[in-house]
Amino acid sequence: IVIDGGSNDETNHILAKYADTIDYCVSEPDKGQSHAINKGFAVATGDIFCWLNSDDQFAPDALKSVALAYLEKKADVIAGICEVYQDDKLVHRHFTSCQDGPLPLNEILDLDNGWNAGQFFYQPEVFFTRELWQKAGGAVNEDCFYSMDYELWCRFALHQANLVGIGVPLVHFRMHSEQKTADEAAFKSELINVRDRFLLEHNINWTQSERPPVNWSRKLKVAFINDLGYKFGAGTAQLRIAGAFDLAGQDCSVFDLLTYQQADGSYRCLFGKVAEFDPDVVIFGNLHAITPNDISVLKSIEQLYPTYWLTHDFWLLTGRCPY
């Protein structure tokens, strides 16, 4: 479905080229983006809805990924990774920090310490069911110039919509100076007004959370530890996970017991290097029992830092690789 606001450029010529693959197309003046969205959904069929603005593109296999998540998870709302492009270069990947489960209305309403602090969605990364759309009113608010999507997510949360996040790219979002939300002050001003109107309209008694303000310069520090280094299957897998943290803009460091084991069999040097890095979290993996039946390194690290285990090739538990 294509809803165009009466463009006088090459839009109609391009649409004509794809006429045989377009089910519904109209190019006429409208009352703005929100009105155009409602016009499109009024003729939409299917079980899963979304809208895509003319700046943006779906990522390869996005629709397949969403369909699989819908079938497997029975979600009302599906959100994925949004890849942000500027001047045709990938500059950022975003994934909402909202947890799977009911959309957290109180946190979405908390603009400073919740929504804008990382729980937000880039609108085209979000897919939702027809049933939820209709339950929440079956229209976006046409009084909104920037924030029609945010107001819709608030209504979804009011109806306790079940969110599932999938860790695959769903959309390529293009940043440029001509887009509406490039005017950040105007966009955020409307966002506050929309939130406050929503509270009044639905008689919600809400107070802002006491979360500390977000320090955007602060990176998560993650230490990865294995014993034989980052090679072979499990070592490569762990290094790829470290790479994913790094790609997300976090601060990672990798250590291996083979390098840091001292002549007396101890790991004092390792503990010193890890302490120097001062991680927020440690992730163990690919432990082949370089010191058989000895979990003293694990115990020592776990007393100092939040610690996770990747049990891929974790011989201390499994005995050997095949298990």
Side-chain angles (χ1 to χ4, degrees):
I1 296 169
V2 179
I3 307 293
D4 178 62
S7 298
N8 56 11
D9 54 13
E10 294 299 306
T11 297
N12 285 323
H13 174 70
I14 294 169
L15 290 173
K17 288 171 56 179
Y18 296 95
D20 60 338
T21 62
I22 296 174
D23 293 299
Y24 182 91
C25 182
V26 62
S27 180
E28 62 187 17
D30 54 41
K31 301 173 187 175
Q33 183 185 8
S34 297
H35 181 223
I37 292 166
N38 287 336
K39 285 168 61 178
F41 281 132
V43 296
T45 61
D47 298 316
I48 307 170
F49 282 4
C50 62
W51 79 87
L52 187 70
N53 298 313
S54 57
D55 294 350
D56 309 321
Q57 297 176 321
F58 287 129
D61 294 328
L63 303 185
K64 180 179 75 173
S65 298
V66 170
L68 287 172
Y70 173 69
L71 290 172
E72 292 175 359
K73 307 291 187 179
K74 305 303 180 187
D76 302 309
V77 180
I78 296 166
I81 294 173
C82 177
E83 296 188 325
V84 181
Y85 284 80
Q86 190 166 26
D87 299 325
D88 295 325
K89 293 181 180 179
L90 178 62
V91 295
H92 179 58
R93 282 185 173 93
H94 167 79
F95 190 61
T96 178
S97 60
C98 281
Q99 296 183 6
D100 285 3
L103 274 175
L105 180 59
N106 282 341
E107 295 172 15
I108 292 173
L109 294 171
D110 187 358
L111 293 176
D112 290 335
N113 298 328
W115 186 247
N116 289 333
Q119 293 179 293
F120 65 92
F121 305 127
Y122 280 91
Q123 170 270 312
E125 77 189 37
V126 180
F127 295 72
F128 47 89
T129 64
R130 165 192 288 277
E131 181 181 1
L132 176 62
W133 166 258
Q134 292 174 336
K135 188 189 298 184
V140 296
N141 188 331
E142 294 184 14
D143 292 334
C144 298
F145 182 71
Y146 299 103
S147 309
M148 74 292 291
D149 52 336
Y150 171 77
E151 196 273 342
L152 182 64
W153 314 147
C154 288
R155 279 186 276 143
F156 284 176
L158 198 62
H159 286 82
Q160 297 186 307
N162 184 44
L163 167 71
V164 167
I166 56 175
V168 296
L170 295 183
V171 70
H172 298 164
F173 181 91
R174 190 162 63 94
M175 290 180 62
H176 58 92
S177 60
E178 299 302 314
Q179 66 193 137
K180 289 200 303 185
T181 49
D183 187 346
E184 186 174 339
F187 165 61
K188 289 193 172 180
S189 175
E190 183 187 274
L191 200 61
I192 294 169
N193 291 334
V194 166
R195 190 270 312 274
D196 292 346
R197 284 203 312 269
F198 185 85
L199 292 171
L200 287 173
E201 182 180 347
H202 296 280
N203 195 28
I204 297 172
N205 184 18
W206 174 83
T207 54
Q208 185 168 321
S209 77
E210 296 181 358
R211 287 175 173 174
V214 175
N215 177 1
W216 291 104
S217 65
R218 171 79 158 83
K219 294 182 177 182
L220 187 69
K221 300 180 75 173
V222 188
F224 288 83
I225 300 176
N226 72 18
D227 61 1
L228 297 180
Y230 298 86
K231 53 189 176 183
F232 310 119
T236 300
Q238 193 184 23
L239 194 60
R240 286 175 178 166
I241 294 172
F245 275 86
D246 184 65
L247 195 62
Q250 310 310 328
D251 189 4
C252 299
S253 190
V254 295
F255 305 88
D256 66 83
L257 303 186
L258 192 62
T259 298
Y260 287 98
Q261 188 175 34
Q262 294 172 251
D264 62 359
S266 71
Y267 295 99
R268 292 188 304 275
C269 184
L270 170 71
F271 298 146
K273 288 294 183 181
V274 172
E276 187 179 314
F277 180 59
D278 191 24
D280 298 299
V281 62
V282 173
I283 299 178
F284 277 103
N286 195 29
L287 288 187
H288 291 79
I290 192 170
T291 48
N293 303 317
D294 182 1
I295 60 170
S296 60
V297 174
L298 288 173
K299 284 184 173 180
S300 298
I301 293 292
E302 286 182 334
Q303 289 173 359
L304 299 171
Y305 312 102
T307 303
Y308 291 84
W309 299 2
L310 292 172
T311 54
H312 187 182
D313 263 18
F314 214 79
W315 284 28
L316 291 172
L317 289 181
T318 63
R320 56 191 288 260
C321 298
Y323 307 134

